[in-house]
Amino acid sequence: MIDDRNATLMTGAPEIRIVRLNAEKTRKDTGSDAVYHVYFELSGHPAPEWIDIFGREWAGLGAGHAANVDGEFLVLHCQLNEVGATLVPALKRAVAATNAGYKLYSEKESAALEHREDAWKEERKSVETMASTIHFD
C-alpha cells in the first residue's frame, strides 16, 4: 500500500542544498545580450511539492528575477554581475525556507498517510471478524 513517494514522506525527505554553480551549463539567454541562465547544482532531485514551495518562497523574496528548477538544477535568469553579490544569498534564503516548508508539508502528509493506513487496517479487521462468524458446510 505504501509507494516510494509515501515512503520518502514517512522517512523524512532529505534537505535540498545548493551544491555549486555549474559553469558548463550556464549560458546566455537566446536573444539577449545580458541575461544568462545560471545553473546551480542541487544536492538531489526535489519533489514536485518542494518545487512549488520554492516558487512561492522565491516570489515572496521579491528578487525580481525568474528562477526555476530543472531536474537537479536550480536555474536563475539574470545578469552575471548580479549572481554573487545579491542573488546567491537570496537563493540560499529561499532554499532554506523551502526546506522548512517542505518539512512541515512532509510531516502533515506522513500523519495523513498513517491515519489512512490505520483506517484501512481497522476496516480489514472488521471484515475479517465478520468473515469468521460465517460458516459454510
Side-chain angles (χ1 to χ4, degrees), residues 26 33 44 49 74 94 106 134:
T26 296
D33 290 334
E49 295 83 3
L74 195 153
S106 182
I134 299 174

Side-chain angles (χ1 to χ4, degrees), residues 54-67 74 76-79 82-83 86-94:
F54 173 79
R56 290 191 301 271
E57 291 295 337
W58 182 250
L61 287 176
H65 294 283
L74 195 153
L76 184 60
H77 308 276
C78 63
Q79 294 181 8
E82 299 174 293
V83 175
T86 58
L87 295 176
V88 168
L91 282 176
K92 288 179 179 180
R93 284 193 306 277

Side-chain angles (χ1 to χ4, degrees), residues 42-120:
L42 298 174
S43 59
H45 191 97
E49 295 83 3
W50 190 97
I51 295 169
D52 291 342
I53 295 168
F54 173 79
R56 290 191 301 271
E57 291 295 337
W58 182 250
L61 287 176
H65 294 283
N68 63 291
V69 176
D70 180 8
E72 290 188 1
F73 294 95
L74 195 153
V75 185
L76 184 60
H77 308 276
C78 63
Q79 294 181 8
L80 290 180
N81 64 348
E82 299 174 293
V83 175
T86 58
L87 295 176
V88 168
L91 282 176
K92 288 179 179 180
R93 284 193 306 277
V95 168
T98 300
N99 282 329
Y102 186 71
K103 181 179 179 186
L104 289 174
Y105 163 81
S106 182
E107 289 169 354
K108 287 179 185 177
E109 285 297 305
S110 182
L113 175 62
E114 189 174 322
H115 176 73
R116 287 190 304 271
E117 287 178 342
D118 289 346
W120 182 83

